[in-house]
Coordinates of all heavy atoms in Angstrom, one line a residue:
L224 N 34.8 -114.5 -45.7 CA 34.7 -113.2 -46.4 C 35.6 -113.3 -47.7 O 35.6 -112.3 -48.5 CB 35.2 -112.0 -45.6 CG 34.4 -111.7 -44.4 CD1 35.0 -110.5 -43.6 CD2 33.0 -111.3 -44.9
R225 N 36.3 -114.4 -47.9 CA 37.1 -114.5 -49.1 C 36.3 -114.3 -50.4 O 36.8 -113.8 -51.4 CB 37.9 -115.8 -49.1 CG 39.0 -115.8 -50.1 CD 39.8 -117.1 -50.0 NE 38.9 -118.3 -50.2 CZ 38.7 -118.9 -51.4 NH1 39.2 -118.4 -52.4 NH2 37.9 -119.9 -51.4
L226 N 35.1 -114.9 -50.4 CA 34.2 -114.8 -51.6 C 33.3 -113.6 -51.3 O 32.5 -113.6 -50.4 CB 33.4 -116.1 -51.7 CG 34.2 -117.3 -51.9 CD1 33.3 -118.5 -52.0 CD2 35.0 -117.2 -53.2
P227 N 33.3 -112.6 -52.2 CA 32.4 -111.5 -52.0 C 30.9 -111.9 -52.1 O 30.5 -112.6 -53.0 CB 32.7 -110.5 -53.2 CG 34.1 -111.0 -53.6 CD 34.2 -112.4 -53.4
A228 N 30.1 -111.5 -51.1 CA 28.7 -111.9 -51.1 C 28.0 -111.0 -52.1 O 28.3 -109.8 -52.3 CB 28.1 -111.7 -49.7
P229 N 27.0 -111.5 -52.8 CA 26.2 -110.7 -53.8 C 25.3 -109.7 -53.0 O 25.0 -109.9 -51.9 CB 25.4 -111.7 -54.6 CG 25.2 -112.8 -53.6 CD 26.5 -112.9 -52.8
A230 N 25.0 -108.5 -53.7 CA 24.1 -107.6 -53.1 C 22.7 -108.2 -53.0 O 22.3 -109.1 -53.7 CB 24.1 -106.3 -54.0
P231 N 21.9 -107.7 -52.0 CA 20.6 -108.3 -51.8 C 19.7 -108.3 -53.1 O 18.9 -109.2 -53.3 CB 20.0 -107.4 -50.7 CG 21.1 -106.8 -50.0 CD 22.2 -106.6 -51.0
D232 N 19.8 -107.3 -53.9 CA 18.9 -107.2 -55.1 C 19.6 -107.7 -56.3 O 19.1 -107.5 -57.4 CB 18.5 -105.8 -55.3 CG 19.6 -104.8 -55.4 OD1 20.7 -105.2 -55.1 OD2 19.4 -103.7 -55.9
E233 N 20.8 -108.4 -56.2 CA 21.5 -108.9 -57.3 C 21.8 -110.4 -57.2 O 22.8 -110.9 -57.7 CB 22.8 -108.1 -57.5 CG 22.7 -106.6 -57.8 CD 24.0 -105.9 -57.9 OE1 25.0 -106.6 -57.6 OE2 24.0 -104.7 -58.2
T234 N 20.9 -111.1 -56.5 CA 21.2 -112.5 -56.3 C 21.1 -113.3 -57.6 O 21.6 -114.4 -57.7 CB 20.2 -113.1 -55.3 OG1 18.8 -112.7 -55.7 CG2 20.4 -112.4 -53.9
D235 N 20.3 -112.8 -58.6 CA 20.2 -113.6 -59.8 C 21.2 -113.2 -60.9 O 21.2 -113.7 -62.0 CB 18.8 -113.3 -60.4 CG 17.7 -113.8 -59.5 OD1 18.0 -114.8 -58.7 OD2 16.6 -113.3 -59.5
I236 N 22.1 -112.2 -60.6 CA 23.0 -111.7 -61.5 C 24.3 -112.5 -61.3 O 24.8 -112.5 -60.1 CB 23.3 -110.2 -61.4 CG1 22.0 -109.5 -61.6 CG2 24.4 -109.7 -62.4 CD1 22.1 -108.0 -61.5
P237 N 24.9 -113.1 -62.3 CA 26.2 -113.8 -62.1 C 27.3 -112.9 -61.6 O 27.4 -111.8 -62.1 CB 26.5 -114.4 -63.5 CG 25.2 -114.4 -64.2 CD 24.4 -113.2 -63.6
Q238 N 28.0 -113.3 -60.5 CA 29.1 -112.5 -60.0 C 30.4 -112.7 -60.7 O 30.6 -113.8 -61.3 CB 29.3 -112.9 -58.5 CG 28.1 -112.7 -57.6 CD 27.7 -111.2 -57.6 OE1 28.6 -110.4 -57.2 NE2 26.5 -110.8 -57.9
T239 N 31.2 -111.7 -60.8 CA 32.5 -111.8 -61.4 C 33.4 -112.6 -60.6 O 33.2 -112.9 -59.4 CB 33.1 -110.4 -61.7 OG1 33.2 -109.7 -60.4 CG2 32.2 -109.6 -62.6
A240 N 34.6 -113.0 -61.1 CA 35.5 -113.8 -60.4 C 36.0 -113.0 -59.1 O 36.2 -111.8 -59.2 CB 36.7 -114.1 -61.3
D241 N 36.1 -113.7 -58.0 CA 36.4 -113.1 -56.8 C 37.9 -112.8 -56.6 O 38.3 -112.1 -55.7 CB 36.0 -113.9 -55.6 CG 36.7 -115.3 -55.6 OD1 36.4 -116.1 -56.5 OD2 37.5 -115.5 -54.6
E242 N 38.7 -113.4 -57.4 CA 40.2 -113.2 -57.3 C 40.8 -113.4 -58.7 O 40.3 -114.1 -59.6 CB 40.8 -114.1 -56.3 CG 40.6 -115.6 -56.6 CD 41.1 -116.5 -55.5 OE1 41.0 -116.1 -54.3 OE2 41.6 -117.6 -55.8
Y243 N 42.0 -112.9 -58.8 CA 42.8 -113.2 -60.0 C 44.2 -113.4 -59.6 O 44.6 -113.1 -58.4 CB 42.8 -112.0 -61.0 CG 43.3 -110.7 -60.5 CD1 44.6 -110.3 -60.8 CD2 42.5 -109.8 -59.8 CE1 45.1 -109.1 -60.3 CE2 42.9 -108.6 -59.4 CZ 44.2 -108.2 -59.6 OH 44.7 -107.0 -59.2
I244 N 45.0 -114.0 -60.4 CA 46.4 -114.5 -60.1 C 47.4 -113.7 -60.7 O 47.3 -113.3 -61.9 CB 46.5 -116.0 -60.5 CG1 45.6 -116.9 -59.6 CG2 48.0 -116.4 -60.3 CD1 45.7 -118.3 -60.0
V245 N 48.4 -113.3 -59.9 CA 49.6 -112.6 -60.4 C 50.8 -113.5 -60.2 O 51.0 -114.0 -59.1 CB 49.8 -111.2 -59.7 CG1 51.1 -110.6 -60.1 CG2 48.7 -110.3 -60.0
T246 N 51.5 -113.8 -61.2 CA 52.7 -114.7 -61.1 C 53.9 -113.9 -60.9 O 54.2 -113.0 -61.7 CB 52.8 -115.5 -62.4 OG1 51.6 -116.3 -62.6 CG2 54.0 -116.5 -62.2
V247 N 54.7 -114.1 -59.8 CA 55.9 -113.4 -59.5 C 57.0 -114.4 -59.3 O 56.8 -115.6 -59.1 CB 55.7 -112.6 -58.2 CG1 54.6 -111.6 -58.3 CG2 55.5 -113.5 -57.0
L248 N 58.2 -113.9 -59.4 CA 59.4 -114.7 -59.2 C 59.4 -115.1 -57.7 O 59.2 -114.3 -56.8 CB 60.7 -114.0 -59.5 CG 60.9 -113.6 -61.0 CD1 62.2 -112.8 -61.2 CD2 60.9 -114.9 -61.9
Q249 N 59.8 -116.4 -57.5 CA 59.9 -116.9 -56.1 C 61.0 -116.2 -55.4 O 62.2 -116.2 -55.9 CB 60.1 -118.4 -56.1 CG 60.1 -119.0 -54.8 CD 60.0 -120.5 -54.8 OE1 59.2 -121.1 -55.5 NE2 60.9 -121.2 -54.1
H250 N 60.7 -115.7 -54.2 CA 61.7 -114.9 -53.5 C 62.7 -115.9 -52.8 O 62.3 -116.9 -52.2 CB 61.1 -114.1 -52.4 CG 62.0 -113.2 -51.7 ND1 62.6 -112.1 -52.2 CD2 62.5 -113.3 -50.4 CE1 63.4 -111.5 -51.3 NE2 63.3 -112.2 -50.2
I251 N 64.0 -115.6 -52.9 CA 65.1 -116.4 -52.3 C 65.6 -115.6 -51.2 O 66.1 -114.5 -51.4 CB 66.2 -116.8 -53.3 CG1 65.5 -117.5 -54.5 CG2 67.2 -117.6 -52.6 CD1 64.9 -118.8 -54.1
V252 N 65.6 -116.1 -50.0 CA 66.1 -115.4 -48.8 C 67.6 -115.5 -48.8 O 68.2 -116.6 -49.0 CB 65.5 -116.0 -47.5 CG1 66.1 -115.3 -46.3 CG2 64.0 -115.9 -47.5
P253 N 68.4 -114.4 -48.7 CA 69.8 -114.5 -48.6 C 70.3 -115.4 -47.5 O 69.8 -115.4 -46.4 CB 70.2 -113.0 -48.3 CG 69.1 -112.2 -48.8 CD 67.9 -113.0 -48.6
G254 N 71.2 -116.3 -47.9 CA 71.8 -117.3 -47.0 C 71.1 -118.6 -47.0 O 71.6 -119.6 -46.4
S255 N 70.0 -118.7 -47.7 CA 69.3 -120.0 -47.7 C 69.9 -120.9 -48.8 O 70.6 -120.4 -49.7 CB 67.8 -119.8 -48.0 OG 67.6 -119.1 -49.2
K256 N 69.6 -122.2 -48.8 CA 70.2 -123.1 -49.7 C 69.5 -122.9 -51.1 O 68.3 -122.8 -51.2 CB 70.0 -124.5 -49.3 CG 70.7 -124.9 -48.0 CD 70.5 -126.3 -47.6 CE 71.3 -126.7 -46.3 NZ 71.1 -128.1 -46.0
K257 N 70.3 -122.9 -52.1 CA 69.8 -122.7 -53.5 C 69.5 -124.1 -54.1 O 70.2 -125.0 -53.8 CB 70.8 -121.9 -54.3 CG 71.1 -120.5 -53.8 CD 72.1 -119.8 -54.8 CE 72.4 -118.4 -54.3 NZ 73.4 -117.7 -55.2
T258 N 68.5 -124.1 -54.9 CA 68.1 -125.3 -55.5 C 68.6 -125.3 -56.9 O 69.1 -124.3 -57.4 CB 66.5 -125.4 -55.6 OG1 66.0 -124.3 -56.3 CG2 66.0 -125.4 -54.2
G259 N 68.6 -126.5 -57.6 CA 69.1 -126.6 -59.0 C 70.5 -127.1 -59.0 O 71.1 -127.5 -58.0
R260 N 71.0 -127.3 -60.2 CA 72.3 -127.9 -60.3 C 73.4 -126.9 -60.0 O 73.2 -125.7 -59.9 CB 72.4 -128.4 -61.7 CG 71.4 -129.4 -62.1 CD 71.6 -129.9 -63.5 NE 70.5 -130.8 -63.9 CZ 70.4 -131.4 -65.1 NH1 71.3 -131.1 -66.1 NH2 69.4 -132.2 -65.4
S261 N 74.6 -127.4 -60.0 CA 75.8 -126.6 -59.7 C 76.0 -125.5 -60.8 O 75.7 -125.7 -62.0 CB 77.0 -127.4 -59.6 OG 78.2 -126.6 -59.5
G262 N 76.5 -124.3 -60.4 CA 76.8 -123.3 -61.3 C 77.9 -123.6 -62.3 O 78.0 -122.9 -63.3
K263 N 78.7 -124.7 -62.0 CA 79.8 -125.0 -62.9 C 79.2 -125.6 -64.2 O 79.8 -125.5 -65.3 CB 80.7 -126.0 -62.2 CG 81.4 -125.5 -61.0 CD 82.3 -126.5 -60.4 CE 83.0 -126.0 -59.2 NZ 83.9 -127.0 -58.5
N264 N 78.1 -126.2 -64.2 CA 77.5 -126.8 -65.4 C 76.5 -125.7 -65.9 O 75.4 -125.6 -65.5 CB 76.7 -128.1 -65.0 CG 76.2 -128.8 -66.3 OD1 76.4 -128.3 -67.4 ND2 75.5 -129.9 -66.1
K265 N 76.9 -125.0 -66.9 CA 76.1 -123.9 -67.5 C 74.8 -124.5 -68.1 O 73.8 -123.8 -68.1 CB 76.9 -123.1 -68.5 CG 78.1 -122.5 -67.9 CD 77.8 -121.5 -66.7 CE 79.1 -120.9 -66.2 NZ 78.8 -120.0 -65.0
R266 N 74.9 -125.7 -68.7 CA 73.8 -126.2 -69.3 C 72.7 -126.7 -68.3 O 71.6 -126.9 -68.7 CB 74.2 -127.5 -70.2 CG 75.1 -127.1 -71.4 CD 75.5 -128.3 -72.1 NE 76.2 -129.2 -71.3 CZ 76.7 -130.4 -71.7 NH1 76.4 -130.9 -72.9 NH2 77.4 -131.2 -70.8
G267 N 73.1 -126.8 -67.0 CA 72.1 -127.2 -66.0 C 71.4 -126.0 -65.4 O 70.6 -126.2 -64.5
S268 N 71.6 -124.8 -65.9 CA 70.9 -123.7 -65.4 C 69.4 -123.8 -65.7 O 69.0 -124.1 -66.8 CB 71.4 -122.4 -65.9 OG 71.3 -122.3 -67.3
R269 N 68.6 -123.4 -64.8 CA 67.1 -123.5 -65.0 C 66.5 -122.2 -64.9 O 67.0 -121.2 -64.3 CB 66.5 -124.5 -63.9 CG 67.1 -125.9 -63.9 CD 66.5 -126.7 -62.8 NE 67.0 -128.0 -62.8 CZ 66.7 -128.9 -61.8 NH1 65.9 -128.6 -60.9 NH2 67.3 -130.1 -61.9
A270 N 65.3 -122.1 -65.4 CA 64.5 -120.8 -65.3 C 64.2 -120.6 -63.9 O 63.9 -121.5 -63.1 CB 63.3 -120.9 -66.2
P271 N 64.2 -119.3 -63.5 CA 63.9 -119.0 -62.1 C 62.4 -119.5 -61.7 O 61.5 -119.4 -62.6 CB 64.0 -117.5 -62.0 CG 63.9 -117.0 -63.4 CD 64.5 -118.1 -64.3
A272 N 62.3 -120.0 -60.5 CA 61.0 -120.5 -60.1 C 60.0 -119.3 -59.9 O 60.4 -118.2 -59.6 CB 61.1 -121.3 -58.8
K273 N 58.7 -119.6 -60.2 CA 57.7 -118.6 -60.0 C 56.6 -119.1 -59.2 O 56.4 -120.3 -59.0 CB 57.2 -118.2 -61.4 CG 58.2 -117.6 -62.3 CD 57.6 -117.2 -63.7 CE 58.6 -116.6 -64.6 NZ 58.0 -116.2 -65.9
R274 N 55.9 -118.2 -58.6 CA 54.8 -118.5 -57.7 C 53.5 -117.7 -58.0 O 53.6 -116.5 -58.3 CB 55.1 -118.3 -56.2 CG 56.2 -119.2 -55.6 CD 56.4 -119.0 -54.2 NE 55.2 -119.3 -53.4 CZ 54.9 -120.5 -52.9 NH1 55.8 -121.5 -53.0 NH2 53.8 -120.7 -52.2
P275 N 52.4 -118.4 -58.0 CA 51.1 -117.6 -58.3 C 50.6 -117.0 -56.9 O 50.6 -117.7 -55.9 CB 50.2 -118.7 -58.8 CG 50.7 -120.0 -58.1 CD 52.2 -119.8 -58.0
I276 N 50.3 -115.7 -57.0 CA 49.8 -115.0 -55.8 C 48.3 -114.6 -56.2 O 48.1 -114.0 -57.2 CB 50.6 -113.8 -55.5 CG1 52.1 -114.1 -55.3 CG2 50.1 -113.1 -54.2 CD1 52.4 -115.1 -54.2
R277 N 47.4 -115.0 -55.3 CA 46.0 -114.7 -55.5 C 45.6 -113.3 -55.0 O 45.8 -113.1 -53.8 CB 45.2 -115.8 -54.8 CG 45.5 -117.2 -55.3 CD 44.7 -118.2 -54.6 NE 45.1 -119.6 -55.0 CZ 44.5 -120.2 -56.0 NH1 43.6 -119.6 -56.7 NH2 44.9 -121.5 -56.3
I278 N 45.1 -112.5 -55.8 CA 44.7 -111.1 -55.4 C 43.2 -111.1 -55.3 O 42.5 -111.4 -56.3 CB 45.1 -110.1 -56.5 CG1 46.6 -110.2 -56.8 CG2 44.8 -108.7 -56.0 CD1 47.5 -109.9 -55.7
I279 N 42.7 -110.9 -54.1 CA 41.3 -110.8 -53.9 C 40.7 -109.5 -54.3 O 41.2 -108.4 -54.0 CB 41.0 -111.1 -52.4 CG1 41.5 -112.4 -51.9 CG2 39.5 -111.0 -52.1 CD1 41.3 -112.6 -50.4
R280 N 39.7 -109.5 -55.1 CA 39.1 -108.3 -55.6 C 38.3 -107.6 -54.6 O 37.7 -108.2 -53.7 CB 38.2 -108.6 -56.8 CG 38.9 -109.2 -58.0 CD 37.9 -109.5 -59.1 NE 38.5 -110.2 -60.2 CZ 39.1 -109.6 -61.2 NH1 39.3 -108.3 -61.3 NH2 39.6 -110.4 -62.2
E281 N 38.3 -106.3 -54.7 CA 37.4 -105.5 -53.8 C 36.0 -105.9 -54.1 O 35.6 -105.9 -55.3 CB 37.6 -104.0 -54.0 CG 39.0 -103.5 -53.6 CD 39.1 -103.2 -52.1 OE1 38.1 -103.4 -51.4 OE2 40.2 -102.9 -51.7
P282 N 35.1 -106.1 -53.1 CA 33.7 -106.5 -53.4 C 33.0 -105.4 -54.2 O 33.1 -104.2 -53.8 CB 33.1 -106.7 -52.0 CG 34.3 -106.9 -51.1 CD 35.4 -106.1 -51.7
A283 N 32.4 -105.8 -55.3 CA 31.7 -104.8 -56.1 C 30.5 -104.2 -55.4 O 30.0 -103.1 -55.8 CB 31.2 -105.5 -57.4
H284 N 29.9 -104.9 -54.4 CA 28.7 -104.3 -53.8 C 29.1 -103.4 -52.6 O 28.1 -102.8 -52.0 CB 27.9 -105.5 -53.2 CG 28.6 -106.3 -52.2 ND1 29.4 -107.3 -52.4 CD2 28.5 -106.2 -50.8 CE1 29.9 -107.9 -51.3 NE2 29.4 -107.2 -50.3
M285 N 30.3 -103.2 -52.3 CA 30.7 -102.3 -51.2 C 30.5 -100.9 -51.7 O 31.1 -100.5 -52.7 CB 32.2 -102.5 -50.8 CG 32.4 -103.9 -50.1 SD 31.7 -103.9 -48.5 CE 32.7 -102.8 -47.6
P286 N 29.7 -100.0 -51.0 CA 29.6 -98.6 -51.4 C 30.9 -97.8 -51.3 O 31.6 -98.0 -50.3 CB 28.5 -98.1 -50.4 CG 28.6 -99.0 -49.2 CD 29.0 -100.3 -49.7
G287 N 31.1 -97.0 -52.3 CA 32.3 -96.2 -52.3 C 32.2 -95.0 -51.4 O 31.1 -94.7 -50.8
P288 N 33.3 -94.2 -51.2 CA 33.2 -93.0 -50.3 C 32.3 -92.0 -50.8 O 31.8 -91.2 -50.0 CB 34.7 -92.5 -50.3 CG 35.3 -93.1 -51.5 CD 34.6 -94.4 -51.8
S289 N 32.0 -91.9 -52.1 CA 31.1 -90.9 -52.7 C 29.7 -91.4 -52.9 O 28.9 -90.6 -53.3 CB 31.7 -90.4 -54.0 OG 31.8 -91.4 -54.9
D290 N 29.5 -92.6 -52.6 CA 28.1 -93.2 -52.8 C 27.3 -93.0 -51.5 O 27.8 -93.0 -50.4 CB 28.2 -94.7 -53.1 CG 28.9 -95.0 -54.4 OD1 28.9 -94.0 -55.3 OD2 29.5 -96.1 -54.6
P291 N 26.0 -92.8 -51.7 CA 25.1 -92.7 -50.5 C 25.1 -94.0 -49.8 O 25.4 -95.1 -50.3 CB 23.7 -92.4 -51.1 CG 23.8 -92.9 -52.5 CD 25.2 -92.7 -52.9
A292 N 24.7 -94.0 -48.5 CA 24.7 -95.2 -47.7 C 23.7 -96.2 -48.2 O 22.6 -95.9 -48.6 CB 24.3 -94.8 -46.2
G293 N 24.2 -97.4 -48.4 CA 23.3 -98.5 -48.9 C 23.2 -98.6 -50.4 O 22.5 -99.4 -50.9
S294 N 24.0 -97.7 -51.1 CA 24.0 -97.8 -52.5 C 24.6 -99.0 -53.0 O 25.6 -99.5 -52.5 CB 24.7 -96.5 -53.1 OG 24.8 -96.6 -54.5
T295 N 24.1 -99.6 -54.1 CA 24.7 -100.8 -54.7 C 25.4 -100.5 -55.9 O 25.8 -101.4 -56.7 CB 23.6 -101.8 -55.0 OG1 22.6 -101.2 -55.9 CG2 22.8 -102.2 -53.7
A296 N 25.7 -99.2 -56.2 CA 26.5 -98.8 -57.4 C 27.9 -99.3 -57.2 O 28.4 -99.6 -56.1 CB 26.5 -97.3 -57.5
A297 N 28.6 -99.5 -58.3 CA 30.0 -100.0 -58.3 C 30.9 -99.0 -57.6 O 30.7 -97.8 -57.7 CB 30.4 -100.2 -59.8
V298 N 31.9 -99.5 -57.0 CA 32.9 -98.7 -56.3 C 33.7 -97.9 -57.4 O 34.2 -98.5 -58.3 CB 33.8 -99.5 -55.5 CG1 34.9 -98.7 -54.8 CG2 33.0 -100.3 -54.4
P299 N 33.8 -96.6 -57.2 CA 34.6 -95.8 -58.2 C 36.1 -96.2 -58.1 O 36.6 -96.8 -57.2 CB 34.4 -94.3 -57.7 CG 34.1 -94.4 -56.3 CD 33.3 -95.7 -56.1
A300 N 36.8 -95.9 -59.2 CA 38.2 -96.2 -59.3 C 39.0 -95.6 -58.2 O 38.7 -94.4 -57.8 CB 38.7 -95.8 -60.6
R301 N 39.9 -96.3 -57.6 CA 40.7 -95.8 -56.5 C 41.7 -94.8 -57.0 O 42.2 -94.9 -58.0 CB 41.4 -96.9 -55.8 CG 40.5 -98.0 -55.1 CD 41.3 -99.0 -54.4 NE 42.0 -98.4 -53.3 CZ 41.5 -98.3 -52.1 NH1 40.2 -98.6 -51.9 NH2 42.2 -97.7 -51.1
R302 N 41.8 -93.7 -56.2 CA 42.8 -92.7 -56.6 C 44.2 -93.1 -56.0 O 44.3 -93.9 -55.1 CB 42.4 -91.4 -56.0 CG 41.0 -90.9 -56.5 CD 40.6 -89.6 -55.7 NE 40.2 -90.0 -54.4 CZ 39.8 -89.1 -53.5 NH1 39.6 -87.9 -53.8 NH2 39.5 -89.5 -52.3
W303 N 45.2 -92.5 -56.6 CA 46.5 -92.9 -56.3 C 46.8 -92.7 -54.8 O 47.5 -93.5 -54.2 CB 47.6 -92.1 -57.1 CG 47.6 -90.7 -56.7 CD1 46.9 -89.7 -57.3 CD2 48.4 -90.1 -55.7 NE1 47.2 -88.5 -56.7 CE2 48.2 -88.7 -55.7 CE3 49.4 -90.6 -54.8 CZ2 48.8 -87.8 -54.9 CZ3 50.0 -89.7 -54.0 CH2 49.7 -88.3 -54.0
K304 N 46.3 -91.7 -54.2 CA 46.6 -91.4 -52.8 C 45.9 -92.4 -51.8 O 46.2 -92.6 -50.7 CB 46.2 -90.0 -52.4 CG 44.7 -89.7 -52.5 CD 44.5 -88.2 -52.1 CE 43.0 -87.9 -52.1 NZ 42.8 -86.4 -51.7
D305 N 44.9 -93.1 -52.4 CA 44.2 -94.1 -51.5 C 45.1 -95.3 -51.3 O 44.9 -96.1 -50.3 CB 42.9 -94.6 -52.2 CG 41.9 -93.5 -52.3 OD1 41.9 -92.6 -51.4 OD2 41.0 -93.6 -53.2
D306 N 46.1 -95.6 -52.2 CA 47.0 -96.7 -52.0 C 48.4 -96.2 -51.6 O 49.3 -97.1 -51.6 CB 47.1 -97.5 -53.3 CG 45.8 -98.2 -53.7 OD1 45.1 -98.6 -52.8 OD2 45.5 -98.3 -54.9
T307 N 48.6 -95.0 -51.3 CA 49.9 -94.5 -51.0 C 50.4 -95.0 -49.6 O 49.6 -95.0 -48.7 CB 50.0 -92.9 -51.0 OG1 49.6 -92.5 -52.3 CG2 51.3 -92.4 -50.6
L308 N 51.5 -95.5 -49.6 CA 52.1 -96.0 -48.3 C 52.9 -95.0 -47.7 O 53.4 -94.0 -48.3 CB 53.0 -97.3 -48.6 CG 52.3 -98.5 -49.2 CD1 53.2 -99.6 -49.5 CD2 51.1 -99.0 -48.4
R309 N 53.2 -95.1 -46.4 CA 54.1 -94.2 -45.7 C 55.5 -94.5 -46.0 O 55.9 -95.6 -46.4 CB 53.8 -94.3 -44.2 CG 52.4 -93.8 -43.8 CD 52.2 -94.1 -42.3 NE 53.0 -93.3 -41.4 CZ 52.7 -92.0 -41.1 NH1 51.6 -91.5 -41.5 NH2 53.5 -91.4 -40.2
W310 N 56.4 -93.5 -45.8 CA 57.8 -93.7 -46.0 C 58.6 -93.0 -44.9 O 58.1 -92.1 -44.3 CB 58.3 -93.2 -47.4 CG 58.1 -91.7 -47.6 CD1 59.0 -90.7 -47.3 CD2 56.9 -91.0 -48.0 NE1 58.5 -89.5 -47.6 CE2 57.3 -89.6 -48.1 CE3 55.7 -91.4 -48.5 CZ2 56.3 -88.7 -48.5 CZ3 54.8 -90.4 -48.9 CH2 55.1 -89.1 -48.9
E311 N 59.7 -93.6 -44.6 CA 60.6 -93.1 -43.5 C 61.5 -92.0 -43.9 O 62.0 -92.0 -45.0 CB 61.4 -94.3 -42.9 CG 60.6 -95.4 -42.3 CD 61.5 -96.4 -41.7 OE1 62.7 -96.4 -41.9 OE2 61.0 -97.4 -41.0
V312 N 61.6 -91.0 -43.1 CA 62.6 -89.9 -43.3 C 63.6 -90.0 -42.1 O 63.2 -89.8 -40.9 CB 61.9 -88.5 -43.3 CG1 62.9 -87.4 -43.5 CG2 60.8 -88.5 -44.4
R313 N 64.8 -90.3 -42.4 CA 65.8 -90.5 -41.4 C 66.5 -89.2 -41.1 O 66.7 -88.3 -41.9 CB 66.8 -91.5 -41.8 CG 66.2 -92.9 -42.1 CD 67.2 -93.9 -42.6 NE 66.6 -95.2 -42.8 CZ 67.2 -96.2 -43.4 NH1 68.4 -96.1 -43.8 NH2 66.5 -97.4 -43.6
A314 N 66.8 -89.0 -39.8 CA 67.4 -87.8 -39.3 C 68.8 -87.6 -39.9 O 69.4 -88.6 -40.3 CB 67.4 -87.7 -37.8
K315 N 69.3 -86.4 -40.4 CA 70.0 -85.7 -39.3 C 69.8 -84.2 -39.4 O 69.3 -83.6 -38.5 CB 71.5 -86.0 -39.5 CG 71.8 -87.5 -39.2 CD 73.2 -87.7 -39.0 CE 73.5 -89.2 -38.7 NZ 74.9 -89.5 -38.9
S316 N 70.1 -83.6 -40.6 CA 69.9 -82.2 -40.7 C 69.6 -81.9 -42.2 O 69.9 -82.7 -43.1 CB 71.1 -81.4 -40.2 OG 72.3 -81.8 -40.9
Q317 N 69.1 -80.7 -42.4 CA 68.7 -80.3 -43.8 C 69.0 -78.8 -43.9 O 68.9 -78.0 -43.0 CB 67.2 -80.6 -44.0 CG 66.8 -80.4 -45.4 CD 65.3 -80.8 -45.5 OE1 64.5 -80.3 -44.8 NE2 65.0 -81.5 -46.6

Side-chain angles (χ1 to χ4, degrees):
L224 294 178
R225 190 177 60 88
L226 300 176
D232 57 347
E233 296 179 354
T234 54
D235 297 333
I236 301 177
Q238 297 297 303
T239 58
D241 62 293
E242 61 185 32
Y243 61 96
I244 293 179
V245 174
T246 304
V247 301
L248 294 179
Q249 183 168 312
H250 185 73
I251 303 299
V252 178
S255 60
K256 296 182 180 179
K257 297 182 180 180
T258 59
R260 301 180 184 177
S261 172
K263 296 181 180 179
N264 185 1
K265 300 301 181 182
R266 293 178 299 178
S268 60
R269 301 176 180 177
K273 298 180 180 179
R274 291 185 63 91
I276 307 298
R277 303 176 183 272
I278 309 295
I279 301 177
R280 298 181 186 274
E281 294 280 356
H284 63 275
M285 293 289 291
S289 61
D290 296 336
S294 173
T295 58
V298 177
R301 298 184 64 85
R302 297 172 293 179
W303 68 269
K304 64 180 181 180
D305 293 333
D306 293 327
T307 301
L308 301 178
R309 294 173 67 83
W310 63 92
E311 294 182 354
V312 179
R313 298 177 182 174
K315 293 197 180 165
S316 58
Q317 189 177 47

